[in-house]
């Protein structure tokens, strides 16, 4: 079974799940999932995990993500982006490039952020956007997210439109960032455009258009990246035949040293067999086995 990661360039329009559904039709694909939601109005890098690679999804989610966000001041949106109802909120003439730059440091590091009401975040087992569409009043709780870096690329004062480059950890909503920046500047703002330019080592310049993949037939596999890509920075343990047998039976193997944490477990041919975690007893317990 062919497994790996596709660096897909999602266009504006389809949801992330629609991209997954489309690529599940490729020859040889039994399972597929994505490595981080992109809203329908957003474009750019969408990692698609194929077959056994769906089991490393959590580690893809740990990769930092970089965005170029277009933010329009003087208005708000009930969805946080251009898909919603746009309402005037303040005088955009008061926004200046120095004012934006002075406000940005408050949005770096670990910050508290309220997720958008129209989001896939679940509450009580149901996505918030479903509750919102029924007109339910939902109390959203602020969550801690991390923004590694943020900088102003340019600002068009006549249109009151800024472009920001933002690098963040998981769970950060750029729509909420746009809203909060507008609030900080006293004018309101909404996200009028979004491109995800990178997810970890996956760059938008290298991403494959969804339509190209869908039309490639069996040739789609030439764009498949190794499924162990998110694990490449972990220490590796090469197993002999006895170690392979133990791992396949769910049994631990000795760790090479006293360092606890995650390990890649490789078969005699160097291929990824499993990943595991070492504890203080210097034993590595397998957590996921990828081949039988």
């Amino acid at each position: 079974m062919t497994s790996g990661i596709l660096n897909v360039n999602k266009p504006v329009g389809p949801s992330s799940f629609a991209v997954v559904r489309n690529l599940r039709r490729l020859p040889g694909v039994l399972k597929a999932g994505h490595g981080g939601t992109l809203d329908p109005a957003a474009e750019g890098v969408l990692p698609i995990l194929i077959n056994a690679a769906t089991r490393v999804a959590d580690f893809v989610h740990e990769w930092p993500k970089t965005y170029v966000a277009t933010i329009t001041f003087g208005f708000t949106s009930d969805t946080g982006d251009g898909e919603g109802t746009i309402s005037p909120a303040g005088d955009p003439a008061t926004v200046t490039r120095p004012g934006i730059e002075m406000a940005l440091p408050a949005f770096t590091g670990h910050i508290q952020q309220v997720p958008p009401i129209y989001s896939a975040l679940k509450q009580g087992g149901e996505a918030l956007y479903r509750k919102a569409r029924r007109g339910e009043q939902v109390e959203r709780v602020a969550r801690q997210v991390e923004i590694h870096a943020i900088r102003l690329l340019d600002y068009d004062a006549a249109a009151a439109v800024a472009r920001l480059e933002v690098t963040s950890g998981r769970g950060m909503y750029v729509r909420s960032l746009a809203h909060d920046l507008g609030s900080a500047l006293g004018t309101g703002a909404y996200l009028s455009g979004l491109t995800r330019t990178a997810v970890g080592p996956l760059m938008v310049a290298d991403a494959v258009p969804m339509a190209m993949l869908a039309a490639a037939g069996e040739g789609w596999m030439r764009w498949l990246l190794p499924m162990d890509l998110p694990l490449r920075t972990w220490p590796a343990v090469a197993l002999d035949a006895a170690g392979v047998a133990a791992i396949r039976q769910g049994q631990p193997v000795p760790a090479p040293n006293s360092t606890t944490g995650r390990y890649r477990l490789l078969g005699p041919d160097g291929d990824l067999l499993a990943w595991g975690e070492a504890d203080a007893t210097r034993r590595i317990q397998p957590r996921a086995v990828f081949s039988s």
Side-chain angles (χ1 to χ4, degrees):
M1 181 173 65
T2 301
S3 301
I5 300 170
L6 288 171
N7 177 10
V8 176
N9 193 341
K10 187 190 93 65
V12 171
S15 67
S16 297
F17 181 72
V19 175
V20 170
R21 187 171 58 240
N22 187 288
L23 297 182
R24 279 177 182 160
R25 303 189 184 107
L26 294 173
V29 175
L30 302 179
K31 294 189 295 183
H34 64 73
T37 302
L38 266 183
D39 290 336
E43 61 185 354
V45 174
L46 180 65
I48 300 294
L49 314 176
I50 302 296
N51 294 330
T54 54
R55 303 185 72 186
V56 300
D58 284 347
F59 311 123
V60 174
H61 288 301
E62 291 177 0
W63 277 340
K65 301 170 179 65
T66 301
Y67 303 89
V68 171
T70 302
I71 298 174
T72 299
F73 294 94
F75 301 86
T76 58
S77 166
D78 59 352
T79 61
D81 61 15
E83 300 288 287
T85 301
I86 309 299
S87 305
D91 182 4
T94 63
V95 178
T96 64
R97 184 183 184 108
I100 296 171
E101 291 176 332
M102 287 180 61
L104 293 183
F107 295 98
T108 57
H110 289 93
I111 64 171
Q112 294 295 310
Q113 187 182 76
V114 177
I117 184 63
Y118 286 91
S119 67
L121 190 68
K122 291 187 176 180
Q123 187 178 96
E126 187 177 26
L128 289 179
Y129 71 84
R130 295 188 185 277
K131 296 176 180 289
R133 287 173 181 168
R134 292 198 300 266
E136 293 184 20
Q137 294 296 316
V138 179
E139 182 179 353
R140 291 168 289 155
V141 179
R143 305 181 306 157
Q144 181 173 276
V145 298
E146 184 176 10
I147 295 181
H148 305 302
I150 183 170
R151 67 188 180 101
L152 179 63
L153 298 177
D154 53 63
Y155 181 60
D156 181 345
V161 172
R163 290 173 64 248
L164 304 179
E165 183 181 70
V166 184
T167 301
S168 72
R170 67 188 302 173
M172 192 276 295
Y173 282 93
V174 188
R175 283 180 289 151
S176 292
L177 173 63
H179 174 274
D180 294 345
L181 179 59
S183 295
L185 294 174
T187 64
Y190 71 94
L191 185 69
S192 49
L194 184 66
T195 300
R196 188 155 66 191
T197 57
V199 177
L202 308 183
M203 303 296 170
V204 71
D206 304 318
V208 185
M210 185 179 69
M212 186 179 294
L213 282 163
E218 293 189 357
W220 70 269
M221 296 180 189
R222 69 179 179 271
W223 291 296
L224 200 62
L225 301 172
M227 66 174 284
D228 69 342
L229 199 58
L231 286 58
R232 290 280 176 91
T233 59
W234 302 3
V237 174
L239 302 173
D240 57 17
V244 170
I247 290 297
R248 286 178 173 167
Q249 295 170 20
Q251 299 172 355
V253 294
N257 53 52
S258 59
T259 303
T260 60
R262 302 164 173 169
Y263 283 83
R264 288 180 292 141
L265 302 175
L266 310 179
D269 56 2
D271 288 344
L272 181 67
L273 173 70
W275 77 271
E277 286 187 284
D279 57 24
T281 67
R282 297 186 62 176
R283 307 284 287 175
I284 302 174
Q285 182 67 46
R287 301 302 184 197
V289 180
F290 301 114
S291 61
S292 57

